Amino acid sequence: GGAGTWGCLYPDKEYSLVPVRHIVDFVYVSRGLALASKACAAIDKAYGLAGNSTPLFPPAIAGAMSLFFHDELRTPSWTRALSLYDELNLKVPRPRSILRPDHGITGAFDAWAALAVEALAYNDEGDWDEALEVLRSMAAATQDGPFGQAHEVTEMTQSAFKTTRGFTRFAADNGGSFGEVILRGVFAYNPPFLAPVEETKAFKGLERAIQDGGQGARGGLFATLEGLRTPWGMASLEIGGGEEESGGVQIKDLKSYT
């Protein structure tokens, strides 16, 4: 319906479509459709059909999904997993389950906050300007020590804090998703699952591992990633490269292991 949300089929007699205003659809649908569109574009190009097919991820849908995130999920320093406008929260009485800090209206599972940043970039065709702004706003969460299962959002100030309420774990590995966002997203290092280590030209192999999104804008960011262990050697990547305006990702250095 143009609201940027998705839905579930409820198992009643008619299998009614119920809107679900949850971050998990925003995260995984954004990534899934963006990657599928990229694969279809590559197939079209191989068969001389480039520009003739209907995109799987129309810009209008992508834009509506990002608008939903900003309007209903994002907070000043974190995000909610479930929108305050979801039907479950509007019910009287509302179910207690939606008050969970990882899945409900009071916060979000730490990995989803990270992956939402990446989803914004996918929806903006690889442009990281907006996504980096959101990522920077979440920096305060790193002051709480190791990432846990979730960060909770206060109702009044909407500030985020690490919580152990209920069965929420104090430390959890899902916070590693922020590392993924830096490597796979910001620095665009995304090698195939089985990297072609037999590649005779190591530099070319690393270039192929930096996805197309590495050419998108980076919000004025100037940064260097050093000591990246790749199948082709120890690499250093940089954004900005001394130019006046920050642009795509470049290979600064690559040293063989031998």
Side-chain angles (χ1 to χ4, degrees):
T5 60
W6 299 81
C8 292
L9 292 177
Y10 189 77
D12 54 16
K13 291 183 179 180
E14 299 178 354
Y15 278 87
S16 305
L17 181 63
V18 179
V20 180
R21 312 182 85 81
H22 199 281
I23 195 171
V24 72
D25 296 309
F26 170 70
V27 165
Y28 293 117
V29 172
S30 296
R31 176 169 169 78
L33 288 182
L35 295 180
S37 295
K38 180 180 176 181
C40 289
I43 294 173
D44 288 345
K45 183 178 180 180
Y47 287 92
L49 301 174
N52 295 326
S53 58
T54 302
L56 292 177
F57 204 16
I61 293 179
M65 290 175 64
S66 293
L67 189 62
F68 158 68
F69 172 77
H70 284 295
D71 285 354
E72 299 187 25
L73 300 180
R74 184 186 176 188
T75 69
S77 60
W78 198 244
T79 181
R80 303 178 192 277
L82 186 68
S83 168
L84 294 172
Y85 298 100
D86 188 85
E87 289 186 11
L88 286 177
N89 189 46
L90 299 178
K91 281 186 176 181
V92 180
R94 63 184 182 183
R96 291 175 58 101
S97 60
I98 68 168
L99 300 179
R100 289 179 54 161
D102 54 353
H103 291 256
I105 62 173
T106 60
F109 187 62
D110 281 3
W112 286 337
L115 296 176
V117 171
E118 194 173 21
L120 286 171
Y122 281 122
N123 291 350
D124 207 9
E125 298 182 343
D127 189 322
W128 274 80
D129 285 359
E130 180 183 21
L132 280 171
E133 178 189 345
V134 176
L135 183 61
R136 290 185 178 105
S137 74
M138 296 177 178
T142 62
Q143 299 174 8
D144 296 335
F147 284 102
Q149 181 174 333
H151 272 68
E152 191 163 357
V153 176
T154 60
E155 186 172 354
M156 295 298 294
T157 65
Q158 297 191 55
S159 59
F161 63 96
K162 190 173 177 180
T163 181
T164 56
R165 182 166 62 84
F167 296 97
T168 305
R169 294 177 176 85
F170 180 80
D173 59 5
N174 72 89
S177 293
F178 278 94
E180 281 191 322
V181 168
I182 298 298
L183 289 173
R184 182 178 66 195
V186 177
F187 281 93
Y189 177 65
N190 194 29
F193 182 70
L194 296 175
V197 294
E198 71 281 0
E199 174 71 59
T200 56
K201 295 182 179 180
F203 195 88
K204 181 61 71 175
L206 181 57
E207 277 189 328
R208 290 175 180 171
I210 297 178
Q211 57 185 332
D212 295 340
Q215 303 309 312
R218 291 297 191 273
L221 178 67
F222 291 85
T224 301
L225 176 66
E226 297 183 341
L228 177 63
R229 191 175 181 86
T230 78
W232 307 279
M234 196 71 73
S236 295
L237 306 179
E238 66 177 359
I239 298 171
E243 301 295 333
E244 292 184 3
E245 294 291 335
S246 173
V249 180
Q250 305 293 328
I251 301 173
K252 181 180 180 181
D253 189 30
L254 178 62
K255 295 180 180 178
S256 173
Y257 297 125
T258 57

